[in-house]
Amino acid sequence: MKYLKLLYKMKKTVAQIFVLIGLCQLSLFTKAQGDHDLWLKKVTPVSVNVVAAKKGAFVNVAIQELQQNWAGKANATVTLLVKPDVAVKDDGFKLTANSIQANNDMGILYGAYELLRRQQTGQLVNNGEIVNPSYQQRILNHWDNLDGSIERGYAGNSIFWKGDKNTTITDNDKKLWLEYARANASIGVNGSVLNNVNASPQILSADNLQRLKAIADVLRTYGIKSYLSVNFSSPVRLGGLKTSDPLDANVIEWWKTKTKEIYALVPDFGGFLVKANSEGQPGPQDFGRTHADGANMLADIVKPYNGLVMWRAFVYNPNDKDRAKQAYNEFLPLDGKFRDNVIVQVKNGPIDFQPREPFSPLFGAMKQTPLMAEVQVTQEYLGHSEQLVFLSSLWEEFLKADTYQEGKGSTVARTTDGSIYNQKNTAIAGVANVGLDSNWCGHPFAQANWYAFGRLAWNNNLTSEQIANEWLQQTFSSNISDKNNPLAVSEWQRNFLVPAKKIMLESHEAAVNYSMPLGLHHIFAGNHHYGPGPWYAPKNLRVDWTPPYYHQAAANGIGFNRTKSGTDAADQYHPALAATLNDVNTCPEVYLLWFHHVAWDYKMRNGKTLWDELCYKYDSGVKQVREFQKDWDALERYVDKNTFLEVQRKLKRQEKDAQVYKDGCLLYFQQYSKMPIPYELERPVYDLKYLLSMDMLDVNK
Ligand code: BDP
């Protein structure tokens, strides 16, 4: 009887989920709620016959997707086959124009999305083409708090947590989670960490675990695993124990019981993400233990359930001379000391998601510990959801950077995806930019960053141009006047696709130019990190939280000396690279002020003085944004009115922001350089005094 009831309940849930899928697809396709439908726009489906020998849950979703979105040959028969193929890895697949073969059900669903994407973007399928994922786990990290707010979120409140209302789960919540899961699956994302790395111990309370279960039940429909960030002192703060020492028997027992409780609710729970001994968060060092002791304790506990522990390497303390060196110093000695179900999660750069950073020297250097990269999709340091910045370029530059650790070509991508080091687990994480805003991401073009993260996580070899092409076509091609007319299509490509792509592909460099060119970094206004604050240095604040620590501007020049005569951070890289970075004559100029303190009249390779070059860079950033404005206006007839106006308005603000950056930084640094802004460049618009007194977040609203 009990089983019958359970079966009935399960069937009911499955039925509810299918009704929800129907609803979600219907709502995506019938109601243009802003641009809530993301890159999954409605197509008028061409009829197709889908044949599958074995129908698992994901195969059923694949059939539905193919039937509702087919844009290939009319009345084609597509076969779906779950059958292992030696060349197919994990949830990869083998494609022809009308067949998908995969090792498992999920591979079939990914294959369906790929086939549809090829159709929608006019990319051909090679017969028997194998498409494998670069990383096994492709995870979004949500910095969502239980009260519904999102740390560094610029698109409204959390879609997962609602404060007092966490115990109520509405149909609307479920519908949104399902839409979110579908969007993720369509680009290959297969995991979500549901709460902030600055984790509240309360995330593990019985009530919140019920909500976790409800979310996980929905996300599972599209193959998304749920994970949680945990607070290392949960045994004390939630469990009432006297200590959270990872070697204490009671502490271990507490985590075991808690983990058992989680897996009873969510049998496919992915595991834990931990920020420990970083920015005031508790950790094993509070008890004289190491990061490895802490990570291994949790890893042993989740191991029987196939769980993962993602342990962050984002650590630095206020007393060290160079924040950029600390993660390496703390983690390298622990190489090889972690259990095989621990992955150390390392931010792309050694400091903190700056507009441009060299890659973290940990990549490739930790040879016996799997590392996973963490990139930031939400635009904390790149103009929030106000500025159009296509981050794919930044991530591509990072993934393709050469660590030289195992010879030339040891790119960051290859040191993390298992192709160089023999690692059991491979993964990549992106800090999500998703919130309750009707368009999910705050800026219409911020959706492209979510899209790009998923696509690069699936294939770390893709170029930003390919990704921009795909995204633009899927997001905007409904505006082609007649899709069956090749002339109309090529007119659209020439007049919309090409110029829109140009804006996207130049946008990252433009942002670097108007905010932090030539290796400058972390010279933001305090706290909110929107706009410039090279002057920001309250007396009571940790110096490594103030911009002067990073730019070191003085009468004798500017830049952080990280060479042998300075903090020697350059020597954390492989000797072949360190030699290049240490020498001011060979250091790439994009990283000049990251590694060197140089005189204002230092001669750049183009013959200009450093000061003049700095002025030119800031000025070119402003000019680039003005070009984007003109280019965007010319696209009006190809974009729906609301999106057009919104992007136009935001570009206007971005232009002012760029001007504020240029004026703020140049006028501030000029106090030290004492050199004129080259006369051929436009004069500052704002006064330094005015900018110093403004809150940058408000200045241009
Ligand atoms: C910094 C953010 C802060 C995060 C921290 C982290 O300013 O809000 O908590 O990173 O990644 O970039 O832990």
Side-chain angles (χ1 to χ4, degrees):
M1 193 57 202
K2 211 167 130 198
Y3 288 111
L4 273 180
K5 263 194 190 155
L6 196 72
L7 204 69
Y8 170 74
K9 247 177 130 178
M10 272 171 63
K11 275 195 170 159
K12 212 172 128 197
T13 323
V14 171
Q16 278 173 346
I17 296 267
F18 274 93
V19 169
L20 272 172
I21 296 184
L23 272 178
C24 132
Q25 299 195 343
L26 204 75
S27 79
L28 285 181
F29 293 147
T30 51
K31 199 168 68 182
Q33 219 198 88
D35 32 13
H36 189 73
D37 47 1
L38 296 160
W39 48 87
L40 296 162
K41 296 289 191 270
K42 176 182 169 48
V43 294
T44 313
V46 173
S47 91
V48 65
N49 179 26
V50 188
V51 185
K54 184 178 149 268
K55 291 190 184 160
F58 300 130
V59 173
N60 282 330
V61 180
I63 294 174
Q64 203 173 339
E65 291 284 11
L66 289 167
Q67 286 173 341
Q68 294 186 352
N69 300 289
W70 187 255
K73 269 209 190 100
N75 303 317
T77 297
V78 180
T79 39
L80 310 181
L81 181 63
V82 179
K83 184 178 159 213
D85 181 299
V86 280
V88 175
K89 248 179 39 186
D90 305 317
D91 41 16
F93 47 85
K94 188 168 165 179
L95 280 188
T96 71
N98 47 20
S99 75
I100 306 169
Q101 185 187 333
N103 296 338
N104 52 46
D105 264 34
M106 200 54 210
I108 298 286
L109 181 56
Y110 288 136
Y113 285 122
E114 182 67 27
L115 208 52
L116 295 172
R117 179 164 38 244
R118 299 286 178 100
Q119 293 171 353
Q120 284 160 18
T121 58
Q123 301 176 72
L124 294 178
V125 175
N126 298 322
N127 240 349
E129 190 178 333
I130 307 274
V131 184
N132 283 327
S134 299
Y135 300 97
Q136 293 158 343
Q137 313 303 335
R138 306 167 295 272
I139 305 177
L140 280 180
N141 287 185
H142 289 264
W143 286 0
D144 296 18
N145 299 312
L146 296 176
D147 66 2
S149 62
I150 302 181
E151 182 152 344
R152 312 302 178 186
Y154 313 105
N157 268 3
S158 170
I159 63 168
F160 297 122
W161 308 100
K162 288 182 157 179
D164 292 349
K165 300 201 192 80
N166 278 340
T167 45
T168 327
I169 292 148
T170 66
D171 282 350
N172 243 345
D173 291 336
K174 288 196 198 166
K175 181 167 157 278
L176 206 61
W177 300 338
L178 201 69
E179 290 171 345
Y180 160 86
R182 176 173 179 242
N184 274 331
S186 76
I187 50 175
V189 170
N190 65 357
S192 301
V193 180
L194 303 176
N195 64 312
N196 193 354
V197 285
N198 295 319
S200 160
Q202 289 304 322
I203 187 70
L204 297 176
S205 73
D207 279 352
N208 286 325
L209 291 184
Q210 282 303 327
R211 193 165 178 92
L212 159 73
K213 177 184 162 39
I215 299 170
D217 283 348
V218 175
L219 300 195
R220 188 179 300 117
T221 320
Y222 284 95
I224 316 288
K225 264 191 191 176
S226 299
Y227 300 75
L228 291 181
S229 297
V230 290
N231 184 300
F232 203 76
S233 66
S234 303
V236 171
R237 293 180 54 198
L238 183 68
L241 301 194
K242 288 210 173 65
T243 177
S244 295
D245 181 348
L247 303 191
D248 180 282
N250 292 328
V251 170
I252 297 174
E253 209 39 51
W254 187 88
W255 281 109
K256 268 192 186 155
T257 311
K258 200 32 99 182
T259 303
K260 198 169 162 196
E261 190 186 338
I262 297 174
Y263 277 97
L265 295 167
V266 185
D268 58 350
F269 178 68
F272 297 127
L273 171 63
V274 191
K275 171 175 177 177
N277 293 118
S278 160
E279 299 186 327
Q281 292 299 324
Q285 292 175 346
D286 303 346
F287 311 96
R289 315 295 181 196
T290 68
H291 285 291
D293 294 330
N296 291 344
M297 180 270 291
L298 290 173
D300 288 341
I301 292 171
V302 296
K303 176 108 183 169
Y305 307 96
N306 281 326
L308 268 186
V309 171
M310 295 167 289
W311 193 271
R312 294 177 94 226
F314 178 65
V315 294
Y316 60 103
N317 69 57
N319 307 318
D320 200 282
K321 275 208 220 66
D322 187 357
R323 171 170 167 186
K325 288 179 72 177
Q326 297 188 45
Y328 182 98
N329 286 346
E330 267 189 64
F331 277 80
L332 205 71
L334 299 174
D335 192 15
K337 302 219 162 94
F338 292 94
R339 300 283 191 268
D340 67 0
N341 58 333
V342 175
I343 303 202
V344 174
Q345 181 165 318
V346 183
K347 286 190 182 181
N348 58 288
I351 299 245
D352 191 5
F353 299 140
Q354 298 302 290
R356 170 169 279 134
E357 289 191 51
F359 65 87
S360 160
L362 277 169
F363 290 108
M366 280 183 83
K367 298 173 197 288
Q368 294 162 61
T369 307
L371 298 194
M372 62 188 283
E374 176 181 328
V375 298
Q376 198 178 37
V377 188
T378 189
Q379 292 168 242
E380 173 179 0
Y381 296 103
L382 285 132
H384 298 187
S385 287
E386 296 303 321
Q387 298 182 6
L388 190 167
V389 186
F390 183 45
L391 298 176
S392 181
S393 318
L394 188 166
W395 305 328
E396 185 186 351
E397 181 174 302
F398 158 66
L399 288 166
K400 292 185 177 158
D402 201 340
T403 72
Y404 292 91
Q405 289 288 353
E406 299 295 321
K408 207 168 163 13
S410 308
T411 58
V412 168
R414 298 186 62 236
T415 64
T416 50
D417 67 9
S419 49
I420 293 187
Y421 300 121
N422 183 18
Q423 46 187 98
K424 197 170 145 217
N425 296 300
T426 60
I428 187 164
V431 181
N433 62 352
V434 166
L436 278 175
D437 263 20
S438 69
N439 86 347
W440 301 91
C441 303
H443 192 305
F445 277 77
Q447 294 180 353
N449 292 332
W450 179 5
Y451 183 85
F453 169 73
R455 295 291 289 133
L456 280 170
W458 181 277
N459 180 354
N460 59 18
N461 263 317
L462 285 179
T463 64
S464 300
E465 170 161 24
Q466 275 169 275
I467 297 172
N469 239 328
E470 283 180 14
W471 180 78
L472 283 165
Q473 293 196 66
Q474 292 171 86
T475 306
F476 292 104
S477 66
S478 52
N479 294 300
I480 300 177
S481 56
D482 175 5
K483 274 199 180 169
N484 296 322
N485 175 353
L487 280 180
V489 174
S490 72
E491 190 264 347
W492 179 85
Q493 287 179 341
R494 201 172 49 249
N495 294 338
F496 175 79
L497 186 65
V498 172
K501 190 165 66 184
K502 185 166 163 286
I503 298 179
M504 290 175 78
L505 294 179
E506 285 177 11
S507 61
H508 171 245
E509 202 60 44
V512 170
N513 286 338
Y514 64 67
S515 66
M516 263 147 266
L518 300 176
L520 284 173
H521 51 286
H522 226 311
I523 56 172
F524 293 95
N527 304 323
H528 55 58
H529 300 157
Y530 190 91
W535 48 80
Y536 178 75
K539 289 236 156 32
N540 52 357
L541 205 64
R542 286 169 60 156
V543 287
D544 56 347
W545 284 350
T546 69
Y549 171 94
Y550 298 98
H551 62 62
Q552 311 256 321
N556 70 355
I558 181 170
F560 199 122
N561 184 355
R562 295 194 165 103
T563 66
K564 286 186 197 304
S565 63
T567 65
D568 208 16
D571 275 336
Q572 290 185 333
Y573 291 92
H574 185 273
L577 183 55
T580 312
L581 299 173
N582 262 310
D583 182 348
V584 73
N585 297 309
T586 52
C587 177
E589 286 184 341
V590 289
Y591 301 129
L592 183 66
L593 305 179
W594 184 284
F595 288 107
H596 297 268
H597 185 82
V598 295
W600 296 105
D601 61 358
Y602 168 82
K603 269 251 156 42
M604 302 294 289
R605 275 162 225 161
N606 63 9
K608 288 198 184 87
T609 62
L610 167 73
W611 167 253
D612 279 4
E613 182 69 356
L614 209 54
C615 295
Y616 267 90
K617 285 284 180 201
Y618 275 106
D619 189 68
S620 69
V622 177
K623 288 193 174 123
Q624 281 171 291
V625 182
R626 290 187 188 149
E627 286 303 311
F628 299 160
Q629 288 184 282
K630 288 193 253 174
D631 293 344
W632 181 253
D633 280 1
L635 303 181
E636 183 166 5
R637 54 188 280 248
Y638 301 99
V639 184
D640 75 83
K641 194 159 182 208
N642 287 341
T643 307
F644 173 76
L645 290 175
E646 196 184 352
V647 174
Q648 187 185 53
R649 181 176 58 76
K650 288 189 183 250
L651 279 171
K652 200 167 165 185
R653 176 165 188 196
Q654 188 169 351
E655 191 274 340
K656 282 199 210 160
D657 290 342
Q659 183 78 48
V660 166
Y661 261 117
K662 174 188 161 188
D663 294 356
C665 294
L666 290 183
L667 292 173
Y668 171 79
F669 291 137
Q670 195 177 35
Q671 302 176 115
Y672 300 98
S673 81
K674 308 250 188 266
M675 292 161 89
I677 293 172
Y679 298 114
E680 61 278 19
L681 297 184
E682 279 172 24
R683 305 292 89 193
V685 173
Y686 298 100
D687 292 334
L688 184 59
K689 209 169 146 209
Y690 167 75
L691 294 175
L692 283 168
S693 68
M694 291 305 296
D695 178 353
M696 296 302 157
L697 202 52
D698 297 325
V699 70
N700 287 317
K701 267 196 178 148

